[in-house]
Amino acid sequence: MSFFKSLFVFGVVVVTCWSVSGQYVVEMSKDLEENIMTSKEQQRAASTLPGLTKPFAFASYYSSHMVLQKAPKRATIWGYAANIGEEIIIKVSERGTYTTKVYLDPLYNYGVWKLKLPAESSAGPFTITAISSEKTITLTDVMFGDVWVCSGQSNMQFTMIQGFNASEELADASNYPNIRLFTVGDVPASFPIPDLHGIWEQWAVAGKSSVGGKPWRYFSAVCWLFGKTLNKKLGYPIGLIDTTWGGTPVEAWSSTDALAKCGLDEQTYEAKDLDWLNMEVDPENPLNGPDAVSNLWNGMVFPLLNMTIYGAIWYQGEANMVTNVHKYNCTFPAMIDDWRQKFHNASDGETDSLFPFGFVQLAANRPDSADPGFPEIRWHQTADYGFVPNPRMKNVFMSVAMDLPDFASPYGSIHPRDKQDVVARLAVSGMSIAYNQQEEVTQGPLPAHVQEGTTNLTLVYTEKIKYNNLVGFEFLCSVENSSKTFWTPTPILSALPTSITLYSLVCGEGQTVLGLRYSWRESPCAFKTCTVYSADNPLLPGPPFLVYRKMTGIAGTVHTIDWNTPTAIHN
């Protein structure tokens, strides 16, 4: 049980709330004798807290220099006021005047006002002024563009100042004034809270200081580089929200509703020791995030739901290689589904219920590790299909990163510094999925079928292959007169533009090939030297894959691989 969870159960929570006009602290105490299990129960518990009178303000993550979601979607602005029923006047420069009323929030017992702005196609900048009997508050230099949420654990939290080419990237940042950045502070919560209780970086114009904050603070390298790529390709403002915490499992970022879909709750979830993940890392770095179920969803995602967003990207999974590994094929897709539905509902339907969601497949880590955790999580990140989008994970895109090791990283090999290649790959698939800007090739090659020969098996591809190596394939072999099986490497006999021929007699006499896998290692190759890449776009490696298929031993037999059916790991 984490410190924060224990603190809550024993009845004391200190909540730090932020507003545009300043910072204030509210101390609340509540004795809860029973565990809170579902989101509805958590919200009902919150509604029993003493009523709070909050001064007139925008919600914490609305400030000058921000980006609101552009047309065709409508952006929502909201905040607090003391006088229930009062009419709030909202003025948007060069657009008009709108009104809304303060209502008593039924869950949290204080006055809230909320307004959905008309769809805005112009980039801006705009000035938004809110007027009440208490005072007048103003946001300046507000832009309209696409808003993306960036989340996950330490490889998403990994800041631009820590990465390769940091000096060049920071010097270049001021050339992108229409990219705006916001970083959520690392504050968990034991039940869903309506607004952020910590902010590390309020909305800021991209520049050397806003992109180049302290290590592990701001700004996320993957998030920045992704937003920069979008801005260059699309030519309009991009708002980036970084909400990350190192060393955290997917369960911490998932609502209890999502976890219930996978049979998990506080009783069935058990966090494991993750100390090995932080080898060679300065212990002062914030990489040991809390592991209690839903506490980062509650404190670092739920508060953002009212905001209309365009999409999200994710880099996480390392912490789950020892925690609910074989649940990840459920918990990760379920989290995506849940985020989509809850953002959609809270924004009154403005955030798309199938908004684009991108992720980075786990990169390499230890050079000689035979631990199956990383390859198994990589497979589960695709819901056991091996690629995305797929029938279970629609409108999802990914970056394959297994061939980008950085064994000399001063932050530990689990934190490779090359985020440029990671994002370049993510952007290729992202522009296709999120913006329908289809390039000729958007993901690495997968074989279409297997053909048996007398002493070989040939993998046939539907696109041309570039070879950077001739290793990485393994056969699953039966053991004669036994139910046992084993995996063994198999050499490549020939590598042609659209096929790879493997030696099939490695299992031994009387034994049968039962399956095939590729790049099934924690660190399957040196930098950009795995075997299969796209010939048309050499940036894109073929992803790791797993196929179970019993070979007949009859030359000429063809086995079609059905990539639209998931393959569960069982060996």
Side-chain angles (χ1 to χ4, degrees):
M1 181 178 290
S2 70
F3 168 77
F4 295 100
K5 182 178 174 185
S6 301
L7 187 63
F8 180 76
V9 170
F10 282 98
V12 179
V13 180
V14 178
V15 182
T16 303
C17 298
W18 297 72
S19 71
V20 172
S21 58
Q23 177 183 1
Y24 57 96
V25 177
V26 178
E27 293 188 356
M28 301 183 296
S29 64
K30 178 69 179 175
D31 191 337
L32 296 181
E33 297 179 354
E34 297 180 356
N35 288 327
I36 297 172
M37 298 306 301
T38 69
S39 293
K40 289 182 179 179
E41 288 171 345
Q42 288 170 332
Q43 290 172 338
R44 282 198 293 271
S47 70
T48 66
L49 295 170
L52 303 174
T53 299
K54 294 198 172 189
F56 186 53
F58 287 98
S60 66
Y61 49 92
Y62 289 80
S63 78
S64 297
H65 312 301
M66 75 180 304
V67 173
L68 293 171
Q69 182 56 46
K70 74 178 193 71
K73 301 299 183 180
R74 298 173 63 185
T76 295
I77 57 174
W78 70 280
Y80 311 104
N83 302 317
I84 307 301
E86 180 181 2
E87 184 175 83
I88 305 298
I89 299 171
I90 307 293
K91 294 182 178 181
V92 180
S93 61
E94 302 180 9
R95 287 298 179 265
T97 300
Y98 316 95
T99 61
T100 186
K101 286 190 175 183
V102 180
Y103 63 92
L104 180 66
D105 187 286
L107 296 176
Y108 300 98
N109 284 343
Y110 44 65
V112 171
W113 56 270
K114 192 174 182 181
L115 177 69
K116 188 187 292 189
L117 296 172
E120 181 56 63
S121 298
S122 176
F126 293 92
T127 297
I128 299 177
T129 301
I131 304 169
S132 77
S133 61
E134 298 176 65
K135 59 181 175 179
T136 297
I137 52 179
T138 300
L139 308 181
T140 61
D141 188 34
V142 175
M143 309 296 287
F144 282 81
D146 284 345
V147 179
W148 283 81
V149 172
C150 308
S151 190
Q153 60 180 109
S154 54
N155 269 306
M156 185 65 86
Q157 188 174 16
F158 189 96
T159 45
M160 193 66 253
I161 202 167
Q162 298 171 272
F164 284 148
N165 303 317
S167 298
E168 293 88 341
E169 289 289 348
L170 297 183
D172 187 47
S174 60
N175 293 318
Y176 300 88
N178 285 342
I179 301 178
R180 308 298 174 86
L181 315 173
F182 180 92
T183 304
V184 176
D186 285 355
V187 181
S190 295
F191 55 80
I193 54 177
D195 201 357
L196 297 172
H197 290 171
I199 294 171
W200 279 352
E201 181 181 36
Q202 188 54 273
W203 283 103
V205 178
K208 184 175 182 180
S209 61
S210 60
V211 176
K214 292 181 180 180
W216 307 111
R217 292 290 173 172
Y218 60 84
F219 193 73
S220 162
V222 170
C223 192
W224 163 250
L225 292 168
F226 184 73
K228 178 179 172 180
T229 302
L230 293 183
N231 180 252
K232 290 168 69 174
K233 289 182 177 291
L234 300 171
Y236 55 73
I238 299 294
L240 300 173
I241 299 174
D242 171 1
T243 180
T244 55
W245 199 333
T248 52
V250 70
E251 291 83 359
W253 296 98
S254 303
S255 76
T256 53
D257 300 328
L259 295 175
K261 300 289 186 183
C262 304
L264 291 174
D265 56 30
E266 285 191 2
Q267 276 67 48
T268 58
Y269 169 73
E270 182 181 354
K272 302 292 181 65
D273 182 8
L274 305 179
D275 288 346
W276 72 270
L277 290 174
N278 300 323
M279 293 183 301
E280 304 177 47
V281 174
D282 183 345
E284 294 184 359
N285 291 336
L287 299 178
N288 269 329
D291 52 40
V293 295
S294 304
N295 62 358
L296 302 185
W297 156 262
N298 293 336
M300 298 176 65
V301 180
F302 183 88
L304 302 172
L305 294 185
N306 285 337
M307 192 175 199
T308 307
I309 67 169
Y310 190 88
I313 58 172
W314 175 261
Y315 196 159
Q316 188 276 337
E318 298 92 341
N320 281 98
M321 71 152 286
V322 292
T323 300
N324 292 323
V325 178
H326 296 301
K327 287 278 191 180
Y328 203 89
N329 56 359
C330 179
T331 51
F332 182 42
M335 187 203 77
I336 295 173
D337 293 345
D338 191 65
W339 280 29
R340 284 171 165 171
Q341 195 58 53
K342 285 182 166 59
F343 269 101
H344 177 74
N345 292 345
S347 66
D348 194 24
E350 293 302 323
T351 296
D352 198 300
S353 62
L354 202 64
F355 67 73
F357 193 105
F359 70 91
V360 181
Q361 201 175 43
L362 290 190
N365 183 22
R366 298 168 294 187
D368 301 311
S369 173
D371 192 305
F374 266 52
E376 289 174 347
I377 288 292
R378 290 185 189 119
W379 188 247
H380 292 329
Q381 285 179 301
T382 67
D384 296 350
Y385 284 84
F387 72 102
V388 293
N390 59 52
R392 176 63 186 89
M393 302 176 74
K394 297 178 181 178
N395 218 33
V396 174
F397 56 98
M398 79 172 177
S399 170
V400 176
M402 64 181 181
D403 65 327
L404 303 175
D406 184 6
F407 303 131
S409 172
Y411 310 103
S413 59
I414 199 168
H415 299 120
R417 289 164 289 177
D418 175 20
K419 304 305 187 190
Q420 285 83 356
D421 283 307
V422 167
V423 170
R425 294 169 180 180
L426 192 65
V428 168
S429 56
M431 290 304 297
S432 171
I433 297 299
Y435 293 100
N436 200 31
Q437 293 191 12
Q438 187 73 34
E439 296 189 22
E440 186 173 346
V441 177
T442 59
Q443 55 187 333
L446 284 169
H449 60 265
V450 180
Q451 182 169 332
E452 295 189 50
T454 304
T455 60
N456 58 68
L457 295 177
T458 299
L459 308 183
V460 180
Y461 291 77
T462 57
E463 61 182 283
K464 291 182 179 179
I465 304 167
K466 176 180 180 291
Y467 300 92
N468 288 356
N469 214 319
L470 292 175
V471 296
F473 291 92
E474 296 173 277
F475 285 147
L476 178 64
C477 303
S478 67
V479 176
E480 191 173 11
N481 299 320
S482 171
S483 60
K484 294 182 179 180
T485 58
F486 63 94
W487 288 97
T488 189
T490 181
I492 293 176
L493 299 179
S494 67
L496 301 176
T498 59
S499 66
I500 298 173
T501 299
L502 307 172
Y503 183 58
S504 63
L505 301 184
V506 292
C507 289
E509 187 175 354
Q511 297 173 355
T512 305
V513 174
L514 302 176
L516 168 69
R517 66 187 187 186
Y518 167 67
S519 283
W520 209 264
R521 287 287 182 274
E522 185 171 304
S523 303
C525 59
F527 189 76
K528 292 186 178 180
T529 61
C530 284
T531 296
V532 178
Y533 291 78
S534 167
D536 293 323
N537 187 348
L539 173 70
L540 302 176
F545 68 79
L546 171 69
V547 175
Y548 294 113
R549 194 65 54 87
K550 184 177 181 179
M551 298 296 112
T552 65
I554 302 173
T557 302
V558 175
H559 304 269
T560 299
I561 301 174
D562 179 12
W563 292 113
N564 287 316
T565 300
T567 298
I569 299 172
H570 56 77
N571 289 94

